[in-house]
Amino acid sequence: MNHVSFFFSDLFVLLSADSRLSPSIVQSVKKQKIIATSTPSRWNTLEFKFYYLVVVVAVSYMFATAIKISRADNQNYIYYQNLLSDGWIFGRKVDNSDSQYRFFRDNFWLLSILAVSHLCLRIVFQFFISTRRNLYDLVFGSLVMIALYGCNFLKIFVHLLINYFIGRLFIYLDNKNDSNKIFNSTFTYKSVGILILWIYGISTLFVNDKFRSVRFGSMLSFLSPLDSFKGIIERWDVFFNFVLLKMLSFNLDYYNRMTEINNNLKLNTSKIDKSRIEIENPELLTNERLRTNAPLDLSQYSFSNYLSYVLYTPLFIAGPIITFNDFTYQSFHRLPTLNLKFVIRYAIRFVFCILTMELILHYIYVVAIAKRKAWINDTPFEISMIGFFNLNIIWLKLLMPWRFFRLWALLDGIDPPENMLRCVCNNYSALAFWRAWHRSFNKWILRYIYIPLGGSKSRILTSLAVFTFVAIWHDIQLRLLFWGWMIVLFLIPEILCNVYLKPLIQNHRWYRFICGIGAVVNIWLMMIANLFGFCLGNEGTKKLLSDMFTSIYGVQFTIISTICLFIAVQVMFELREHEKRHGVDVKC
């Protein structure tokens, strides 16, 4: 009752599904194999007709409860009413209290003007000045960064320079020494270079957090005039986290390319020009995975391309994250998937998401309620609805900026990954959830952390490293570290079941229902972890759990919610089978 519903699942799958998953793009052989693994439809069975009834009742009650606790006549309204702003729907107040979404919402038209200007000026620049795409990206990106951060852009530029020269230094040492070893040890210059790049990259997060407000004048008195120009966004360090990912991507892609070329040289005694390798594979145009390993010419890993990539305006503020290889390849090769029909459909879905979010914020004030902990005398169900709708608003508040910036990039001829493949409500697997949530970040982590550390060979340890980095990357807070470690802890049961239990029962007639029970446990654990980390905090989560198990009403709520979750999971199972019947399997 407090997590998933057919309404959310069906509606948000349509909203969040990446158009590139269209069967017209999937290779016919692969499509037929996927269809062959699907099961017969259960949508018209008596079982699912019962599920529809439960879903309609449960979802209606969930919305009614969330609206009820947000009404002006609620006893807790006085505690958070000052966080509400004047709205535009029927004279209602709007909950614009989330700082992240407020930045996007309040600056939406300014960002739209910037996007249109960027697209129009590119046409003018390429017509009158230069057809070099990366030159325009560098010039426009630099101007935008200066406007956003003022003279604080120098702090970001120093990080960019240091990262670039660390990477070049160890490549230079590696090429200079025939043995490639450091003092005859087992360590190569490249491996040490990669380690130092990571150490420096992670250290920037701590340095920025501690010294972000240091004034230029306090370092050198003659630099004090620089403190007067702070730009539009004073907190330059908040968005630096995305810059860090691109800094590392550039050097790590460069190192991988050098390793690949050196390995080819060892296997082939004929002379190969290490700086001129042509890209001839047409599959690169339609296969994102191949583009991340695109055999770029070594001259593409230049300082100007590095800056063009990092400062690329549509993806500079918040992503989605695209690897250097993929970005550079697309800069010189327009993808056939970027057609007008695709972009228009994507734009329509984006507008629909905005209207959905506005409607929710005008009628459901759970963000403000959570901020003020205004849940005095609320029942466990009402508190759970505060958490549940908070999770959905978090999903939407991240979805919209990411879709806006992706739409901007699509109009500019660059196709970054879609960040949200499924609604937060349409998830029952912790492992699959992280493949669909912030997907571009997930792909980045897989490529640069998870696989290099061993991947599935040591899944628990690599997951611990991954979520520790994810927590630190989000913010330097102990609460987020605990959140990351809780996620790893909650992943363990699913990992063990997949390895040891699934092979024993997957052919059993009750397999779907057994999986449903496990999925319900997964959902409870995922909700608790995310409510603790991002919604209710320590106090609210403890109160919810206490009320759930220390009162008769709380126990009743827990039992009924678990049953409703089980029904919702069965609907989610069938949604994925429905996708398979159409040749689509997104692995999440």
Side-chain angles (χ1 to χ4, degrees), residues 103-104 111 114 312-320 346 350 399-410 414 416:
F103 173 82
F104 175 76
L111 287 169
L114 178 63
Y312 180 59
T313 305
L315 308 180
F316 178 71
I317 295 178
Y346 194 82
F350 169 67
L399 173 80
M400 282 183 293
W402 284 333
R403 287 218 164 157
F404 174 86
F405 292 124
R406 185 177 183 231
L407 176 61
W408 181 357
L410 291 173
I414 298 293

Side-chain angles (χ1 to χ4, degrees), residues 74-86:
N74 186 279
Q75 63 174 342
N76 293 314
Y77 184 79
I78 58 173
Y79 298 115
Y80 64 84
Q81 62 178 338
N82 64 320
L83 294 180
L84 305 180
S85 309
D86 292 332

Side-chain angles (χ1 to χ4, degrees), residues 29-71:
V29 174
K30 182 178 179 182
K31 178 181 174 180
Q32 292 303 319
K33 287 182 179 179
I34 293 173
I35 293 174
T37 63
S38 64
T39 59
S41 175
R42 296 187 179 92
W43 292 125
N44 292 320
T45 62
L46 183 61
E47 175 192 352
F48 272 77
K49 288 178 181 178
F50 171 71
Y51 293 164
Y52 302 153
L53 177 63
V54 174
V55 165
V56 169
V57 173
V59 172
S60 300
Y61 189 48
M62 289 161 62
F63 270 96
T65 301
I67 293 172
K68 174 188 172 184
I69 60 179
S70 301
R71 284 165 42 181

Side-chain angles (χ1 to χ4, degrees), residues 260-277:
E260 181 183 294
I261 291 174
N262 288 334
N263 289 340
N264 289 339
L265 283 170
K266 291 176 182 178
L267 295 174
N268 191 345
T269 57
S270 62
K271 291 185 178 180
I272 300 177
D273 187 346
K274 295 173 69 174
S275 65
R276 304 297 300 175
I277 296 181

Side-chain angles (χ1 to χ4, degrees), residues 213-235:
S213 301
V214 172
R215 301 172 66 85
F216 288 99
S218 64
M219 293 184 286
L220 294 170
S221 58
F222 66 85
L223 295 178
S224 56
L226 297 177
D227 294 316
S228 60
F229 179 39
K230 297 181 180 179
I232 300 172
I233 304 173
E234 190 171 347
R235 284 292 306 275

Side-chain angles (χ1 to χ4, degrees), residues 132-135 137-138 164 168 246 250 296-312 324 327-329 331-332:
R132 290 177 56 198
R133 180 185 177 91
N134 63 335
L135 180 60
D137 292 335
L138 174 57
Y164 180 81
R168 292 292 155 151
K246 288 182 274 191
F250 170 80
L296 298 179
D297 186 301
L298 284 182
S299 63
Q300 300 291 353
Y301 297 92
S302 64
F303 186 65
S304 61
N305 282 355
Y306 168 57
L307 293 180
S308 300
Y309 163 62
V310 172
L311 303 179
Y312 180 59
F324 176 80
F327 175 81
T328 304
Y329 183 85
S331 296
F332 295 94

